[in-house]
Amino acid sequence: METKLLKGIPVRDAVLAELKAKMARAPRLPGLAVVLVGEDPASAVYVRHKEKGCEEVGFHHVTHRLPADTSETALLALIAELNHDQAIDGILVQLPLPDGLNENRILMAVSPEKDVDGFHPVNLGRLVAGEPGFVPCTPKGILRLLAHYRIPLAGRNVVVVGRSVIVGRPLSLLLSLKRDDANATVTMCHSGTKDLTAVTRAADVVIAAIGVPKMLGRDAVGTGAVVVDVGINRIDAPERKSGTRLVGDVDFAELMGHAGAMTPVPGGVGPMTIAMLLENTWEAMCRAEDWDDGT
Ligand code: GUN
C-alpha cells in the first residue's frame, strides 16, 4: 500500500500567507510575548521557531529569557506586567518549567484573553463547553492538517495515545465536538491502558503524543489507517555528522507502506503548531480591537 505523506510545511505556509494578507488591513500589529525559563535545549529551539514565525508574518514579538533559578514571584510579576501591556496580545510561557516553579499557578496567572496557548482553565473550560476560546495550538493544528488533506473524522474511531494537558487531553475533547471537522468517536489511551496495541490496531486514525521514540510499530496500526505523529524525540545517530536525529513516537520506516497516510517527523505536526500560535495571536488582537477580519 502506498502511504500518503501528510506534510505540514505547505499547510503552514498557506496559513502564514493568509495572515500576511490580513496584516495589510490590520488596525495594528499583533504582539506575542514568549517567556522562556531555564536552559532546556529543545525549548530553546521551539522558541526560536516561534520567533521566526512572528518575523515571517510581521508580528511584534518579545522573548523574555530568564535564568532557571527565577523565583515564582518574579515570574508572576512579569506575567502581570505582560497582562497589562497594550502592545501584547498573546502570552506564551514555554513548558516545561524548571523544577520548583508551579506550572498550574503560572499558567493560571496569564489573562485568559491573552492565553494563546489555550492552557488556562477558562479556555480549557470553553473547549469542554464547545464555546469559542483559545484552542491549544497542537490539537488545533492537527485538525487543520487533517482537514487540509481531506481525511474524514466524523463517525470514525480515533485513538489518541497520550493524556498531556498540552496535546492528548484537549485534542480528545476537540475531536469529540459536534463540528464538521471533528465529530469523531474518541478513545484516549495512556500509560495505564491495558493492551494498548489491541486498542490502537482497531482505530481508523491513530494519534501518537507519548514522547517515547518509535513506540508504535506495525503491529500497533491497522493496514491503511491514518497515523498522526506528534512526537519530536532526539535520538543518537552515530552515522550523522551531528551525532543525533529527530524521530517521532511511531516507527516511520515500519509504517511506510502499511499506513494509509502518515505525518512525517520533522515537517508534519510541528510546523502546524507554530502556524496555529500565530493564528491565535491574530485572533487575540482582533478581539482586543473588536476588529472583524472577515473570517
Ligand atoms: N512545550 C511543548 N509544546 C508547547 C506548547 O505548545 N506551548 C508551550 N507553552 N510549551 C510547549
Side-chain angles (χ1 to χ4, degrees):
M1 164 175 295
E2 196 186 329
T3 302
K4 182 180 171 64
L5 278 188
L6 308 175
K7 295 183 182 172
I9 291 171
V11 192
R12 178 213 48 199
D13 287 348
V15 172
L16 266 59
E18 198 173 318
L19 285 173
K20 271 192 233 174
K22 287 179 178 173
M23 280 285 282
R25 285 171 274 123
R28 64 169 171 81
L29 292 187
L32 176 69
V34 175
V35 181
L36 174 61
V37 190
E39 315 289 331
D40 181 61
S43 291
V45 173
Y46 298 149
V47 166
R48 273 201 298 280
H49 284 143
K50 288 165 187 175
E51 292 171 322
K52 272 173 67 183
C54 283
E55 272 150 35
E56 228 177 303
V57 288
F59 286 7
H60 166 62
H61 70 96
V62 283
T63 302
H64 294 268
R65 290 183 165 80
L66 307 176
D69 63 357
T70 299
S71 70
E72 203 165 289
T73 313
L75 188 50
L76 290 170
L78 171 62
I79 292 170
E81 198 183 300
L82 295 170
N83 281 340
H84 288 103
D85 187 336
Q86 305 251 337
I88 295 300
D89 299 289
I91 302 170
L92 180 144
V93 181
Q94 186 66 30
L95 303 178
L97 287 169
D99 290 347
L101 292 171
N102 182 319
E103 224 156 73
N104 279 339
R105 217 161 22 227
I106 301 298
L107 295 178
M108 278 182 68
V110 174
S111 159
E113 309 323 311
K114 295 193 178 189
D115 171 38
V116 284
D117 250 333
F119 295 161
H120 190 285
V122 165
N123 284 312
L124 291 171
R126 287 172 175 153
L127 179 60
V128 174
E131 292 290 327
F134 291 113
V135 176
C137 304
T138 301
K140 187 177 176 182
I142 290 169
L143 255 68
R144 188 70 61 84
L145 188 72
L146 295 175
H148 174 89
Y149 287 104
R150 301 191 192 287
I151 307 278
L153 294 172
R156 298 181 89 198
N157 288 323
V158 179
V159 171
V160 177
V161 190
R163 57 179 156 191
S164 72
V165 176
I166 297 179
V167 184
R169 223 170 293 164
L171 176 61
S172 301
L173 285 165
L174 193 59
L175 286 161
S176 73
L177 291 180
K178 196 168 181 178
R179 298 191 340 191
D180 289 347
D181 62 346
N183 214 15
T185 303
V186 184
T187 307
M188 181 167 40
C189 297
H190 44 73
S191 52
T193 300
K194 282 203 186 108
D195 201 355
L196 176 68
T197 300
V199 181
T200 56
R201 202 167 34 219
D204 298 312
V205 180
V206 179
I207 306 182
I210 321 149
V212 179
K214 301 193 202 182
M215 190 172 124
L216 301 183
R218 191 177 267 250
D219 61 335
V221 175
T223 308
V226 174
V227 177
V228 176
D229 193 349
V230 185
I232 307 178
N233 310 291
R234 194 168 285 282
I235 62 165
D236 290 338
E239 74 282 4
R240 292 259 178 120
K241 221 161 87 185
S242 65
T244 64
R245 72 187 171 98
L246 292 179
V247 296
D249 291 349
V250 308
D251 191 324
F252 188 83
E254 269 196 19
L255 289 172
M256 270 311 273
H258 175 72
M262 177 164 56
T263 61
V265 175
V269 173
M272 294 306 300
T273 299
I274 310 277
M276 295 301 104
L277 172 65
L278 298 172
E279 202 176 85
N280 281 355
T281 305
W282 169 264
E283 282 174 18
M285 184 281 290
C286 290
R287 284 181 208 164
E289 294 296 321
D290 203 14
W291 173 260
D292 180 358
D293 71 352
T295 53

mmCIF file of all heavy atoms in Angstrom, residues 26-66:
data_model
loop_
_atom_site.group_PDB
_atom_site.id
_atom_site.type_symbol
_atom_site.label_atom_id
_atom_site.label_comp_id
_atom_site.label_asym_id
_atom_site.label_seq_id
_atom_site.Cartn_x
_atom_site.Cartn_y
_atom_site.Cartn_z
ATOM 1 N N ALA A 26 -4.670 45.268 8.864
ATOM 2 C CA ALA A 26 -4.793 45.218 10.328
ATOM 3 C C ALA A 26 -4.813 46.618 10.958
ATOM 4 O O ALA A 26 -4.134 47.514 10.466
ATOM 5 C CB ALA A 26 -3.630 44.421 10.908
ATOM 6 N N PRO A 27 -5.598 46.801 12.033
ATOM 7 C CA PRO A 27 -5.610 48.104 12.703
ATOM 8 C C PRO A 27 -4.277 48.412 13.383
ATOM 9 O O PRO A 27 -3.916 49.561 13.580
ATOM 10 C CB PRO A 27 -6.736 47.972 13.724
ATOM 11 C CG PRO A 27 -6.930 46.512 13.936
ATOM 12 C CD PRO A 27 -6.513 45.836 12.658
ATOM 13 N N ARG A 28 -3.550 47.358 13.788
ATOM 14 C CA ARG A 28 -2.213 47.497 14.371
ATOM 15 C C ARG A 28 -1.533 46.139 14.356
ATOM 16 O O ARG A 28 -2.170 45.132 14.016
ATOM 17 C CB ARG A 28 -2.280 48.055 15.802
ATOM 18 C CG ARG A 28 -2.977 47.130 16.770
ATOM 19 C CD ARG A 28 -2.791 47.601 18.204
ATOM 20 N NE ARG A 28 -3.625 46.846 19.117
ATOM 21 C CZ ARG A 28 -3.326 45.637 19.609
ATOM 22 N NH1 ARG A 28 -2.199 45.037 19.259
ATOM 23 N NH2 ARG A 28 -4.139 45.031 20.440
ATOM 24 N N LEU A 29 -0.246 46.119 14.732
ATOM 25 C CA LEU A 29 0.476 44.849 14.731
ATOM 26 C C LEU A 29 0.018 43.980 15.902
ATOM 27 O O LEU A 29 -0.036 44.461 17.036
ATOM 28 C CB LEU A 29 1.984 45.079 14.900
ATOM 29 C CG LEU A 29 2.744 45.762 13.780
ATOM 30 C CD1 LEU A 29 4.243 45.718 14.085
ATOM 31 C CD2 LEU A 29 2.458 45.092 12.446
ATOM 32 N N PRO A 30 -0.266 42.705 15.653
ATOM 33 C CA PRO A 30 -0.465 41.791 16.789
ATOM 34 C C PRO A 30 0.872 41.607 17.508
ATOM 35 O O PRO A 30 1.926 41.657 16.870
ATOM 36 C CB PRO A 30 -0.896 40.476 16.127
ATOM 37 C CG PRO A 30 -1.281 40.823 14.723
ATOM 38 C CD PRO A 30 -0.476 42.034 14.360
ATOM 39 N N GLY A 31 0.825 41.407 18.821
ATOM 40 C CA GLY A 31 2.068 41.254 19.591
ATOM 41 C C GLY A 31 2.075 39.965 20.394
ATOM 42 O O GLY A 31 1.088 39.635 21.057
ATOM 43 N N LEU A 32 3.197 39.241 20.332
ATOM 44 C CA LEU A 32 3.335 37.986 21.090
ATOM 45 C C LEU A 32 4.521 38.106 22.054
ATOM 46 O O LEU A 32 5.612 38.511 21.642
ATOM 47 C CB LEU A 32 3.578 36.807 20.135
ATOM 48 C CG LEU A 32 3.842 35.451 20.806
ATOM 49 C CD1 LEU A 32 2.586 34.916 21.495
ATOM 50 C CD2 LEU A 32 4.341 34.415 19.780
ATOM 51 N N ALA A 33 4.288 37.759 23.312
ATOM 52 C CA ALA A 33 5.383 37.686 24.291
ATOM 53 C C ALA A 33 5.622 36.221 24.631
ATOM 54 O O ALA A 33 4.684 35.490 24.979
ATOM 55 C CB ALA A 33 5.023 38.457 25.554
ATOM 56 N N VAL A 34 6.872 35.793 24.485
ATOM 57 C CA VAL A 34 7.240 34.422 24.833
ATOM 58 C C VAL A 34 8.124 34.490 26.076
ATOM 59 O O VAL A 34 9.023 35.338 26.158
ATOM 60 C CB VAL A 34 8.009 33.747 23.673
ATOM 61 C CG1 VAL A 34 8.492 32.367 24.067
ATOM 62 C CG2 VAL A 34 7.125 33.659 22.430
ATOM 63 N N VAL A 35 7.840 33.613 27.036
ATOM 64 C CA VAL A 35 8.638 33.570 28.261
ATOM 65 C C VAL A 35 9.330 32.207 28.318
ATOM 66 O O VAL A 35 8.662 31.168 28.313
ATOM 67 C CB VAL A 35 7.752 33.776 29.515
ATOM 68 C CG1 VAL A 35 8.606 33.752 30.782
ATOM 69 C CG2 VAL A 35 6.971 35.085 29.409
ATOM 70 N N LEU A 36 10.657 32.246 28.333
ATOM 71 C CA LEU A 36 11.445 31.004 28.377
ATOM 72 C C LEU A 36 12.276 31.022 29.652
ATOM 73 O O LEU A 36 13.122 31.901 29.831
ATOM 74 C CB LEU A 36 12.351 30.919 27.138
ATOM 75 C CG LEU A 36 13.351 29.761 27.089
ATOM 76 C CD1 LEU A 36 12.649 28.415 27.119
ATOM 77 C CD2 LEU A 36 14.230 29.867 25.838
ATOM 78 N N VAL A 37 12.015 30.057 30.536
ATOM 79 C CA VAL A 37 12.754 29.997 31.796
ATOM 80 C C VAL A 37 13.688 28.789 31.756
ATOM 81 O O VAL A 37 13.229 27.662 31.522
ATOM 82 C CB VAL A 37 11.802 29.867 33.010
ATOM 83 C CG1 VAL A 37 12.585 30.047 34.314
ATOM 84 C CG2 VAL A 37 10.659 30.869 32.924
ATOM 85 N N GLY A 38 14.981 29.036 31.973
ATOM 86 C CA GLY A 38 15.938 27.927 32.025
ATOM 87 C C GLY A 38 16.596 27.663 30.692
ATOM 88 O O GLY A 38 16.430 28.424 29.732
ATOM 89 N N GLU A 39 17.324 26.552 30.650
ATOM 90 C CA GLU A 39 18.234 26.281 29.525
ATOM 91 C C GLU A 39 17.850 25.040 28.733
ATOM 92 O O GLU A 39 18.685 24.499 28.003
ATOM 93 C CB GLU A 39 19.675 26.061 30.062
ATOM 94 C CG GLU A 39 20.161 27.048 31.116
ATOM 95 C CD GLU A 39 20.407 28.415 30.526
ATOM 96 O OE1 GLU A 39 20.743 28.474 29.332
ATOM 97 O OE2 GLU A 39 20.247 29.410 31.255
ATOM 98 N N ASP A 40 16.623 24.540 28.875
ATOM 99 C CA ASP A 40 16.264 23.308 28.156
ATOM 100 C C ASP A 40 16.526 23.488 26.645
ATOM 101 O O ASP A 40 15.944 24.374 26.013
ATOM 102 C CB ASP A 40 14.780 22.990 28.406
ATOM 103 C CG ASP A 40 14.346 21.720 27.705
ATOM 104 O OD1 ASP A 40 14.911 20.668 28.013
ATOM 105 O OD2 ASP A 40 13.466 21.796 26.812
ATOM 106 N N PRO A 41 17.411 22.658 26.061
ATOM 107 C CA PRO A 41 17.807 22.898 24.666
ATOM 108 C C PRO A 41 16.640 22.753 23.679
ATOM 109 O O PRO A 41 16.537 23.529 22.726
ATOM 110 C CB PRO A 41 18.887 21.836 24.395
ATOM 111 C CG PRO A 41 19.050 21.033 25.627
ATOM 112 C CD PRO A 41 18.124 21.533 26.686
ATOM 113 N N ALA A 42 15.746 21.775 23.912
ATOM 114 C CA ALA A 42 14.610 21.602 22.987
ATOM 115 C C ALA A 42 13.703 22.830 23.052
ATOM 116 O O ALA A 42 13.261 23.350 22.014
ATOM 117 C CB ALA A 42 13.830 20.344 23.338
ATOM 118 N N SER A 43 13.447 23.334 24.276
ATOM 119 C CA SER A 43 12.595 24.522 24.418
ATOM 120 C C SER A 43 13.208 25.715 23.707
ATOM 121 O O SER A 43 12.506 26.504 23.066
ATOM 122 C CB SER A 43 12.393 24.868 25.898
ATOM 123 O OG SER A 43 11.592 23.895 26.520
ATOM 124 N N ALA A 44 14.538 25.844 23.800
ATOM 125 C CA ALA A 44 15.224 26.974 23.144
ATOM 126 C C ALA A 44 15.000 26.913 21.630
ATOM 127 O O ALA A 44 14.758 27.941 20.988
ATOM 128 C CB ALA A 44 16.712 26.950 23.481
ATOM 129 N N VAL A 45 15.043 25.704 21.069
ATOM 130 C CA VAL A 45 14.812 25.543 19.615
ATOM 131 C C VAL A 45 13.366 25.909 19.279
ATOM 132 O O VAL A 45 13.105 26.661 18.325
ATOM 133 C CB VAL A 45 15.123 24.088 19.171
ATOM 134 C CG1 VAL A 45 14.715 23.861 17.722
ATOM 135 C CG2 VAL A 45 16.609 23.776 19.355
ATOM 136 N N TYR A 46 12.398 25.421 20.074
ATOM 137 C CA TYR A 46 10.986 25.723 19.785
ATOM 138 C C TYR A 46 10.740 27.231 19.841
ATOM 139 O O TYR A 46 10.010 27.779 19.020
ATOM 140 C CB TYR A 46 10.042 25.033 20.793
ATOM 141 C CG TYR A 46 10.118 23.531 20.786
ATOM 142 C CD1 TYR A 46 9.885 22.796 21.952
ATOM 143 C CD2 TYR A 46 10.413 22.820 19.637
ATOM 144 C CE1 TYR A 46 9.956 21.409 21.963
ATOM 145 C CE2 TYR A 46 10.493 21.441 19.637
ATOM 146 C CZ TYR A 46 10.267 20.738 20.800
ATOM 147 O OH TYR A 46 10.341 19.377 20.813
ATOM 148 N N VAL A 47 11.354 27.894 20.826
ATOM 149 C CA VAL A 47 11.135 29.335 20.970
ATOM 150 C C VAL A 47 11.721 30.076 19.767
ATOM 151 O O VAL A 47 11.107 31.019 19.249
ATOM 152 C CB VAL A 47 11.724 29.838 22.315
ATOM 153 C CG1 VAL A 47 11.829 31.358 22.338
ATOM 154 C CG2 VAL A 47 10.849 29.344 23.475
ATOM 155 N N ARG A 48 12.868 29.634 19.283
ATOM 156 C CA ARG A 48 13.444 30.271 18.084
ATOM 157 C C ARG A 48 12.505 30.115 16.893
ATOM 158 O O ARG A 48 12.331 31.041 16.104
ATOM 159 C CB ARG A 48 14.832 29.699 17.772
ATOM 160 C CG ARG A 48 15.941 30.448 18.541
ATOM 161 C CD ARG A 48 17.308 30.280 17.899
ATOM 162 N NE ARG A 48 17.751 28.895 17.875
ATOM 163 C CZ ARG A 48 18.285 28.255 18.915
ATOM 164 N NH1 ARG A 48 18.441 28.890 20.072
ATOM 165 N NH2 ARG A 48 18.670 27.007 18.806
ATOM 166 N N HIS A 49 11.870 28.941 16.764
ATOM 167 C CA HIS A 49 10.910 28.739 15.670
ATOM 168 C C HIS A 49 9.730 29.710 15.803
ATOM 169 O O HIS A 49 9.224 30.225 14.813
ATOM 170 C CB HIS A 49 10.389 27.299 15.657
ATOM 171 C CG HIS A 49 11.384 26.324 15.091
ATOM 172 N ND1 HIS A 49 11.541 25.052 15.574
ATOM 173 C CD2 HIS A 49 12.278 26.444 14.084
ATOM 174 C CE1 HIS A 49 12.488 24.432 14.886
ATOM 175 N NE2 HIS A 49 12.948 25.249 13.985
ATOM 176 N N LYS A 50 9.294 29.939 17.040
ATOM 177 C CA LYS A 50 8.159 30.843 17.269
ATOM 178 C C LYS A 50 8.560 32.277 16.888
ATOM 179 O O LYS A 50 7.789 33.003 16.265
ATOM 180 C CB LYS A 50 7.700 30.750 18.730
ATOM 181 C CG LYS A 50 6.987 29.424 18.997
ATOM 182 C CD LYS A 50 6.811 29.066 20.465
ATOM 183 C CE LYS A 50 6.254 27.642 20.562
ATOM 184 N NZ LYS A 50 6.136 27.114 21.896
ATOM 185 N N GLU A 51 9.790 32.655 17.263
ATOM 186 C CA GLU A 51 10.276 33.996 16.907
ATOM 187 C C GLU A 51 10.343 34.157 15.386
ATOM 188 O O GLU A 51 9.932 35.184 14.836
ATOM 189 C CB GLU A 51 11.668 34.226 17.513
ATOM 190 C CG GLU A 51 11.660 34.330 19.026
ATOM 191 C CD GLU A 51 13.066 34.348 19.625
ATOM 192 O OE1 GLU A 51 13.958 33.631 19.120
ATOM 193 O OE2 GLU A 51 13.269 35.079 20.601
ATOM 194 N N LYS A 52 10.861 33.126 14.721
ATOM 195 C CA LYS A 52 10.986 33.182 13.254
ATOM 196 C C LYS A 52 9.609 33.301 12.602
ATOM 197 O O LYS A 52 9.433 34.037 11.637
ATOM 198 C CB LYS A 52 11.700 31.931 12.729
ATOM 199 C CG LYS A 52 13.214 32.120 12.706
ATOM 200 C CD LYS A 52 13.961 30.856 12.359
ATOM 201 C CE LYS A 52 13.755 30.370 10.936
ATOM 202 N NZ LYS A 52 14.473 29.091 10.695
ATOM 203 N N GLY A 53 8.632 32.571 13.159
ATOM 204 C CA GLY A 53 7.265 32.630 12.636
ATOM 205 C C GLY A 53 6.711 34.048 12.732
ATOM 206 O O GLY A 53 6.127 34.573 11.784
ATOM 207 N N CYS A 54 6.921 34.688 13.898
ATOM 208 C CA CYS A 54 6.448 36.069 14.087
ATOM 209 C C CYS A 54 7.097 36.991 13.071
ATOM 210 O O CYS A 54 6.448 37.877 12.496
ATOM 211 C CB CYS A 54 6.791 36.572 15.492
ATOM 212 S SG CYS A 54 5.712 35.935 16.765
ATOM 213 N N GLU A 55 8.407 36.784 12.845
ATOM 214 C CA GLU A 55 9.108 37.652 11.897
ATOM 215 C C GLU A 55 8.576 37.452 10.486
ATOM 216 O O GLU A 55 8.416 38.415 9.734
ATOM 217 C CB GLU A 55 10.615 37.404 11.959
ATOM 218 C CG GLU A 55 11.246 38.298 13.019
ATOM 219 C CD GLU A 55 12.467 37.708 13.664
ATOM 220 O OE1 GLU A 55 13.227 37.009 12.968
ATOM 221 O OE2 GLU A 55 12.659 37.953 14.878
ATOM 222 N N GLU A 56 8.265 36.200 10.160
ATOM 223 C CA GLU A 56 7.781 35.914 8.807
ATOM 224 C C GLU A 56 6.471 36.642 8.499
ATOM 225 O O GLU A 56 6.279 37.108 7.386
ATOM 226 C CB GLU A 56 7.581 34.408 8.669
ATOM 227 C CG GLU A 56 8.212 33.864 7.398
ATOM 228 C CD GLU A 56 8.077 32.363 7.295
ATOM 229 O OE1 GLU A 56 8.536 31.674 8.228
ATOM 230 O OE2 GLU A 56 7.513 31.906 6.287
ATOM 231 N N VAL A 57 5.575 36.719 9.489
ATOM 232 C CA VAL A 57 4.290 37.384 9.223
ATOM 233 C C VAL A 57 4.297 38.854 9.648
ATOM 234 O O VAL A 57 3.332 39.566 9.399
ATOM 235 C CB VAL A 57 3.097 36.659 9.901
ATOM 236 C CG1 VAL A 57 2.798 35.352 9.200
ATOM 237 C CG2 VAL A 57 3.323 36.420 11.372
ATOM 238 N N GLY A 58 5.372 39.304 10.279
ATOM 239 C CA GLY A 58 5.483 40.716 10.643
ATOM 240 C C GLY A 58 4.810 41.087 11.952
ATOM 241 O O GLY A 58 4.434 42.247 12.144
ATOM 242 N N PHE A 59 4.650 40.120 12.867
ATOM 243 C CA PHE A 59 4.082 40.430 14.187
ATOM 244 C C PHE A 59 5.146 41.080 15.065
ATOM 245 O O PHE A 59 6.341 40.774 14.950
ATOM 246 C CB PHE A 59 3.609 39.161 14.906
ATOM 247 C CG PHE A 59 2.335 38.543 14.380
ATOM 248 C CD1 PHE A 59 1.723 39.016 13.231
ATOM 249 C CD2 PHE A 59 1.743 37.483 15.057
ATOM 250 C CE1 PHE A 59 0.551 38.434 12.749
ATOM 251 C CE2 PHE A 59 0.573 36.900 14.586
ATOM 252 C CZ PHE A 59 -0.018 37.366 13.435
ATOM 253 N N HIS A 60 4.691 41.921 15.979
ATOM 254 C CA HIS A 60 5.563 42.407 17.048
ATOM 255 C C HIS A 60 5.805 41.233 18.001
ATOM 256 O O HIS A 60 4.872 40.489 18.318
ATOM 257 C CB HIS A 60 4.852 43.556 17.771
ATOM 258 C CG HIS A 60 5.457 43.934 19.077
ATOM 259 N ND1 HIS A 60 6.737 44.418 19.197
ATOM 260 C CD2 HIS A 60 4.947 43.894 20.335
ATOM 261 C CE1 HIS A 60 6.999 44.637 20.468
ATOM 262 N NE2 HIS A 60 5.930 44.342 21.188
ATOM 263 N N HIS A 61 7.060 41.035 18.416
ATOM 264 C CA HIS A 61 7.292 39.946 19.388
ATOM 265 C C HIS A 61 8.449 40.277 20.316
ATOM 266 O O HIS A 61 9.392 40.973 19.929
ATOM 267 C CB HIS A 61 7.528 38.609 18.684
ATOM 268 C CG HIS A 61 8.831 38.523 17.954
ATOM 269 N ND1 HIS A 61 9.951 37.958 18.500
ATOM 270 C CD2 HIS A 61 9.183 38.946 16.726
ATOM 271 C CE1 HIS A 61 10.935 38.035 17.635
ATOM 272 N NE2 HIS A 61 10.500 38.622 16.546
ATOM 273 N N VAL A 62 8.324 39.773 21.532
ATOM 274 C CA VAL A 62 9.411 39.905 22.507
ATOM 275 C C VAL A 62 9.596 38.550 23.186
ATOM 276 O O VAL A 62 8.624 37.831 23.428
ATOM 277 C CB VAL A 62 9.115 40.954 23.616
ATOM 278 C CG1 VAL A 62 9.303 42.361 23.130
ATOM 279 C CG2 VAL A 62 7.727 40.776 24.197
ATOM 280 N N THR A 63 10.856 38.203 23.455
ATOM 281 C CA THR A 63 11.118 36.976 24.204
ATOM 282 C C THR A 63 11.823 37.349 25.497
ATOM 283 O O THR A 63 12.808 38.098 25.473
ATOM 284 C CB THR A 63 12.003 36.010 23.388
ATOM 285 O OG1 THR A 63 11.339 35.728 22.162
ATOM 286 C CG2 THR A 63 12.223 34.702 24.139
ATOM 287 N N HIS A 64 11.282 36.865 26.597
ATOM 288 C CA HIS A 64 11.910 37.076 27.905
ATOM 289 C C HIS A 64 12.632 35.790 28.270
ATOM 290 O O HIS A 64 11.981 34.766 28.532
ATOM 291 C CB HIS A 64 10.856 37.426 28.954
ATOM 292 C CG HIS A 64 10.189 38.744 28.694
ATOM 293 N ND1 HIS A 64 10.632 39.929 29.232
ATOM 294 C CD2 HIS A 64 9.137 39.057 27.906
ATOM 295 C CE1 HIS A 64 9.867 40.920 28.812
ATOM 296 N NE2 HIS A 64 8.950 40.419 28.006
ATOM 297 N N ARG A 65 13.964 35.833 28.234
ATOM 298 C CA ARG A 65 14.755 34.641 28.603
ATOM 299 C C ARG A 65 15.219 34.825 30.040
ATOM 300 O O ARG A 65 15.966 35.763 30.342
ATOM 301 C CB ARG A 65 15.954 34.490 27.657
ATOM 302 C CG ARG A 65 15.548 34.086 26.255
ATOM 303 C CD ARG A 65 16.749 33.856 25.339
ATOM 304 N NE ARG A 65 16.347 33.152 24.129
ATOM 305 C CZ ARG A 65 15.771 33.728 23.073
ATOM 306 N NH1 ARG A 65 15.546 35.031 23.073
ATOM 307 N NH2 ARG A 65 15.420 33.005 22.020
ATOM 308 N N LEU A 66 14.753 33.929 30.918
ATOM 309 C CA LEU A 66 15.029 34.076 32.348
ATOM 310 C C LEU A 66 15.860 32.894 32.841
ATOM 311 O O LEU A 66 15.726 31.777 32.325
ATOM 312 C CB LEU A 66 13.717 34.133 33.147
ATOM 313 C CG LEU A 66 12.686 35.175 32.693
ATOM 314 C CD1 LEU A 66 11.407 35.053 33.518
ATOM 315 C CD2 LEU A 66 13.243 36.586 32.832
#
